[in-house]
Amino acid sequence: VSVVIPVFNGVSHIRSCIESLKAQTLGDLEVIFVVDSKTTDGTCGEISARSEGWIPVRTIIQNDDLRMGGARNIGLREATSTYVWFMDVDDRPYPTLLEEMVSLMEAHDVDVATFNSVYSDDRDLPERSYGTYSVIEYSGMEAVYEIGKGRLSSCPWSRIYRTDYLRANDLYFKAGYCEDFDQAVRAFMHTDRVVYYNKPLYVYYQHGASLCGGANDDAIAERDVTLAGSLGEEIKTIHPECYSLYCAYMARHVIRSLTRASKEKAMELSRRPE
């Protein structure tokens, strides 16, 4: 697995990030940090210090202004492993995440697999059982519907891909807000089957510095509504029989996006053709 990690001024998270990767029970890793060139807090030096004596860790400087989507694209182009995973620097994976997910992907012979997670304001791994775990196999479009229903995450860290699948289908990230939603829908719509493992394998750290943490952001809402509409047009071409269901299930996602906007912007967006 190639683990791609975008970073901007993330020095305070590097130690725990690298420690969590060192703890992975899957030993065959390639780690690629893509560091924004505007970083000023010593992130690169910390990466070098914390990875000394471990596997070779690659640090690539991102010189464009394409935000986290652009950073992930750089990592995808540079990845040399069979699988690729886009991790966030401030989160915590459980030690068995990569081993369990690669085993599932190979057992089910799929290009995309997704897993459950814990949302927390504490990065420590919760020590508790969540009950019986199961594997669900969706068609690609069924997985798209599950995003619309809010049952599958669109966050990049929630999925592992076969690297060649992303490249062959040009499934790179678009620059700007909501690039994760756009890439997730396109990645699902182009594959026949998606495996979902309902075992929580990742702690998503929720804090005020989150890129999309604003509760009243007109730009995020407009981007999300626009993308939902353009993706619908693509689905109408590729899977015309699924278009009506896509619209029905994605209505929930779009309405939720409107809650990010001011009242005036929400009213404007609610009248858009999308």
Side-chain angles (χ1 to χ4, degrees), residues 26-46:
L26 180 74
D28 190 4
L29 298 182
E30 173 187 48
V31 178
I32 304 172
F33 285 95
V34 183
V35 180
D36 191 301
S37 62
K38 294 179 285 298
T39 291
T40 58
D41 67 351
T43 288
C44 292
E46 185 73 358

Side-chain angles (χ1 to χ4, degrees), residues 234-247:
E234 192 171 346
I235 285 171
K236 192 186 295 186
T237 300
I238 300 173
H239 300 287
E241 73 284 0
C242 299
Y243 178 67
S244 293
L245 274 179
Y246 167 83
C247 291

Side-chain angles (χ1 to χ4, degrees), residues 185-206:
V185 172
R186 287 187 294 116
F188 288 160
M189 78 166 73
H190 284 282
T191 192
D192 293 330
R193 293 175 299 116
V194 175
V195 163
Y196 170 62
Y197 189 27
N198 74 348
K199 182 177 180 179
L201 291 172
Y202 190 88
V203 176
Y204 174 56
Y205 179 48
Q206 296 182 293

